[in-house]
Amino acid sequence: MNYSNTQVWLVGAGPGDAGLLTLRGREVLENAQVVVYDRLVGAGVLALMPESAIKVDVGKNSGTHPVPQREIENILIKYARENLRVVRLKGGDPFVFGRGGEECEALLNANINFEIVPGVTSGVAAPAYAGIPVTHRNSASSLHFITAHAKTGELPDINFDALAKLKNSTLLFYMGVETAGLVCGQLIKSGMDENTPAAVIERGTTSKQRKIISRVKDLASEIKANNIKSPAMILVGEVAGLSDSLDWRSKLKLSGVKIAVTRPKVRAGKLSRMLRDLGAEVLELPCIETEIIHDAVLPEFNNYNWLAFTSITGVEALFNLLAESARDIRELINIKISAIGKATCDALRERGLKVDYMPEVYDGESLAQGLASLINKSEKLLMLRAETGSRELNKILDLNNINYDELAVYKTKYLKLDAPDDLDMAVFTSASTVKAFKAACEDLNLNNIKSICIGKQTASEAERAGFTKIYVANKADLNSLVQAACDAR
Ligand code: SAH
């Protein structure tokens, strides 16, 4: 049921970096039933589209030509009339050279209600990521957004005389890569000092950002010489001269790196944030999902002396299953508890359970070795784990004649995903994420992607999958994993 009258949301996706999508934009996007998106929407934002949504890419249409504007409007109207929540996702801000106004008029004519969610426009964000403040008290007291899009090789009607006379201003030319020569020529012809600082920022805010700082007279030739392509922002004004000293972005350890985080969505947040803090462009591409096995039957715990958990999901599953069968943790009163590593340990601690044993090295092998030395002949162990858990553990327990049972409390499902072909790295926090990634991305050349693995088992799986550049964290925790990504750089 649609509880609101709104049928279409025009959402600004920001300039590329998913972190620049607004809170409202994200909220609306995550609840969309249909998403109609453009070529310039960043991959990290696209990754936030709900799996169940109908996705319409209007940025390309049988090859490289975009879907014509009228047809896009008809697509919006068609889905809105089917009473679906439609999000129209546009690069930057929908009303800054985004034809958002035209789409609103078309919706209005069709009697369809809409909401506008403004976005961070590339004219402000791309310079910011290049260390250029678009206004500055000393050198820029106004800024001007100008389209330099040439319809048939000719510039639009721009009042170059007025622009050239402005003092203390910043000019931002959108869609100007092709026409930079004409634009700069006209500015100089109209009286602008040819040595006025100028800049071009290509694919601003993404890991592939490039910037060139120059002067109005040389900008066009620099654009050619460096093979700058659209999308790129052209900036003319004194503030361009601040870029080198204020460039904060290129100092970050992972700037310029596009990295996929493959762990399940609910667990990805912290790792993604840590990588973003270091300047990486992070794509959350969860390739597995865990599902509790609701008909798993928990045994009588007093038949056991030890419990072992190999993941946070195992802990969550235990508490879910206890609740579903109207039982509670007092049954665990005499049982010792072991956990594979710190995160699992913390998950137990949060639920009021103290861990009696955790190995130094956070992996299945070390957990099994440790337990083998702690559990005596009269004791019995219960492992609560995934349906397809690693057999390494069992081998070691068997070898040491440990009496144990295992209960599968959750299963892992592979998800489909759309990985871009310009990924630099992928982070794997388990062997199962490697397997799932490999299965989902058959077409990717894994030789080009550095694989950052949490531990030995994950790394061997990466090798089996065909990765050749493999980096392993010193310790199985997020800090060490992030460090491994920095080392891989
Ligand atoms: N609505 C968008 C602009 C669409 S017009 C906005 O508010 O940003 C398309 C032009 O925007 C491109 O030709 C380029 O000049 C600029 N642009 C979009 N994304 C950009 C990016 N990541 N870096 C630099 N320029 C970008």
Side-chain angles (χ1 to χ4, degrees), residues 179-413:
T179 49
L182 285 173
V183 166
C184 293
Q186 288 288 345
L187 286 172
I188 294 169
K189 215 164 116 193
S190 308
M192 179 178 276
D193 179 351
E194 61 176 17
N195 286 315
T196 306
V200 60
I201 303 133
E202 181 190 49
R203 298 174 75 178
T205 81
T206 73
S207 55
K208 304 290 176 291
Q209 172 172 313
R210 287 197 295 163
K211 72 166 180 185
I212 293 168
I213 309 299
S214 179
R215 311 236 157 228
V216 187
K217 61 173 182 195
D218 302 321
L219 191 68
S221 53
E222 292 271 13
I223 286 177
K224 272 224 178 72
N226 289 284
N227 197 23
I228 296 285
K229 295 266 179 275
S230 173
M233 185 57 55
I234 290 174
L235 181 150
V236 176
E238 291 298 329
V239 287
L242 298 171
S243 175
D244 288 338
S245 55
L246 297 185
D247 190 340
W248 52 278
R249 187 87 193 155
S250 59
K251 289 190 189 137
L252 299 174
K253 283 192 197 149
L254 290 177
S255 92
V257 175
K258 192 164 192 169
I259 190 163
V261 169
T262 59
R263 65 192 329 205
K265 232 178 188 154
V266 282
R267 305 229 188 289
K270 187 169 175 201
L271 176 59
S272 302
R273 178 180 52 77
M274 291 168 78
L275 294 166
R276 278 194 199 108
D277 283 348
L278 295 172
E281 179 180 354
V282 177
L283 287 185
E284 285 188 2
L285 295 175
C287 51
I288 58 170
E289 196 174 67
T290 52
E291 204 175 276
I292 293 173
I293 303 175
H294 292 283
D295 47 15
V297 180
L298 295 176
E300 289 294 327
F301 287 106
N302 54 20
N303 293 335
Y304 297 94
N305 311 86
W306 279 90
L307 266 186
F309 294 94
T310 53
S311 69
I312 303 176
T313 315
V315 178
E316 287 171 354
L318 168 67
F319 279 79
N320 266 278
L321 293 169
L322 280 173
E324 283 166 14
S325 51
R327 295 166 61 174
D328 81 42
I329 51 166
R330 281 170 295 182
E331 291 183 35
L332 306 181
I333 202 149
N334 286 320
I335 207 161
K336 289 193 206 91
I337 295 176
S338 64
I340 194 163
K342 174 113 186 359
T344 309
C345 213
D346 291 345
L348 286 157
R349 203 78 193 88
E350 275 165 24
R351 290 166 176 81
L353 294 172
K354 208 178 98 205
V355 168
D356 300 284
Y357 174 70
M358 178 183 85
E360 289 266 308
V361 176
Y362 304 159
D363 64 22
E365 217 179 297
S366 311
L367 175 67
Q369 292 290 6
L371 285 174
S373 67
L374 287 168
I375 299 178
N376 63 40
K377 295 284 167 273
S378 62
E379 291 182 321
K380 196 168 181 189
L381 163 73
L382 174 65
M383 296 195 283
L384 297 178
R385 57 195 304 218
E387 200 173 48
T388 48
S390 144
R391 294 291 101 194
E392 267 322 287
L393 254 110
N394 304 58
K395 264 193 230 154
I396 295 169
L397 295 174
D398 289 338
L399 214 68
N400 288 279
N401 289 320
I402 300 298
N403 188 7
Y404 70 91
D405 285 332
E406 58 184 319
L407 179 67
V409 287
Y410 67 94
K411 53 186 164 197
T412 354
K413 230 173 58 185

Side-chain angles (χ1 to χ4, degrees), residues 15 40 91-93 96-98 121-122 126 174-175 201 203-204 230-233:
L40 287 179
D93 180 274
V96 179
F97 306 125
T121 188
S122 55
Y174 288 69
M175 296 172 273
I201 303 133
R203 298 174 75 178
S230 173
M233 185 57 55

